[in-house]
Amino acid sequence: MEVIRRASHAGSWYTDNPRKLEEELDGWLSAAGLPKSSDVRGVIAPHAGYSYSGRAAAYAFGNIDPTNISRVFLLGPSHHYYTPKCALSTATVYKTPIGDLPIDQEVIEELKATGKFELMDLRVDEAEHSMEMHLPYLAKVFKGHQVKVVPILVGALNAESEAKYGKLLEKYIDDPKNFFSVSSDFCHWGTRYISSTSYLVDYFPFSIISSSKMTKNCSTKIKIQFLRYEQSSQCKTMRESSVSYASAAAKVDGE
C-alpha cells in the first residue's frame, strides 16, 4: 500500500509553486557554478527555509553527478521528536512540488531487520523539516534519473550509538551507486536558542558526527571539503540571534 509523505513545509519554508521553485533552484545552482563530479559521494547541506539557506545549499547539491547513483541515504536530525536512536520512515513516497521520490523499501527492510532502528510514524515524519528541505534539491538534481531515497531520522545519539550506527551504514558507502545527503545547520547563536531543542540538536550536529563514523572503517576513503559558509544575520551582542549555514562535499580521496 502506498503511504505518501506530503511536502508539509511547502508554501511556508519554501514555495509550493513548481515553476517558481524550479526557477529558484536553477538560479542558485547556476550561481554556484560548480562542476559535477562522480567522486562526490555525499553532501552536507543546511535545512533552514530557502530564503535563508537555499543559496548556500546549492554549493552542496551542485556537485552531484546523478549519472550512476540509484539510491540516496538522507540523514537529518530530529527537532520535535526525542529519541536516543535513529528512526526509519514508514512512508513509501516523499512528495515535492517538482517531483516525487520513492523510498527504497528493500533497504528499509534490511535496516529494520537489524533491530537497531525505531520507526517514525507519518505525523513525526511530516512535522520534521530537516530532511524535507533537501528533497526539492534532490528531486531537481536527479530529475530524469531512477533514484530511491532511504530517509533516516537521527536522534540524540551518544558516542556508543554513533559508532553502532556508523558500523551499520558504512557498508553502503563502498557501493558507488549509493549517495549520502546529510542535513545540518552549522550552529545557532543568541540567547533565544539556548533553551531550545533545535539549538542543542544543530549545535551538536549528530547527523554529521554519525556520517563521519560511517567513513571511519570503510574501504572507500572519503575527504570532506567545506565549500560555502553563510549567516542569516550578523550578530554583535547575545541579545541578537543568527543561524550559520555550511555546505560541504564528501569526495573519494585519491591521495
Side-chain angles (χ1 to χ4, degrees), residues 65-228:
D65 180 352
T67 308
N68 297 312
I69 298 169
S70 59
R71 182 183 297 116
V72 177
F73 287 80
L74 176 57
L75 282 71
S78 179
H79 287 81
H80 309 290
Y81 172 73
Y82 174 78
T83 176
K85 298 182 178 182
C86 288
L88 303 171
S89 176
T90 55
T92 61
V93 176
Y94 272 13
K95 294 191 75 67
T96 86
I98 57 173
D100 299 341
L101 294 164
I103 292 176
D104 193 322
Q105 296 300 312
E106 181 179 348
V107 174
I108 291 290
E109 290 300 321
E110 284 181 8
L111 296 176
K112 192 190 304 183
T114 67
K116 305 298 184 183
F117 291 83
E118 286 187 13
L119 296 179
M120 57 173 165
D121 63 33
L122 201 58
R123 176 185 57 82
V124 171
D125 204 342
E126 291 185 343
E128 181 54 59
H129 65 272
S130 66
M131 291 185 287
E132 181 176 340
M133 300 311 293
H134 281 210
L135 297 177
Y137 263 114
L138 292 173
K140 176 66 177 176
V141 170
F142 287 95
K143 188 174 184 178
H145 298 267
Q146 296 294 321
V147 69
K148 295 181 179 180
V149 295
V150 181
I152 300 175
L153 185 71
V154 181
L157 308 183
N158 58 29
E160 182 181 354
S161 294
E162 290 163 8
K164 175 181 69 179
Y165 286 110
K167 185 69 175 176
L168 286 171
L169 295 173
E170 67 182 19
K171 70 174 186 177
Y172 296 102
I173 292 178
D174 287 325
D175 186 345
K177 294 181 180 179
N178 293 331
F179 190 86
F180 285 79
S181 189
V182 179
S183 175
S184 183
D185 291 339
F186 196 69
C187 71
H188 291 66
W189 171 265
T191 53
R192 64 177 289 194
Y193 294 114
I194 289 177
S195 61
S196 73
T197 302
S198 61
Y199 173 88
L200 295 173
V201 169
D202 288 331
Y203 191 75
F204 302 100
F206 295 114
S207 51
I208 291 179
I209 295 170
S210 300
S211 63
S212 69
K213 298 286 186 182
M214 288 187 289
T215 65
K216 186 176 181 181
N217 297 312
C218 63
S219 60
T220 305
K221 299 306 176 186
I222 301 293
K223 178 186 290 185
I224 295 178
Q225 179 183 6
F226 280 88
L227 300 168
R228 187 74 173 182

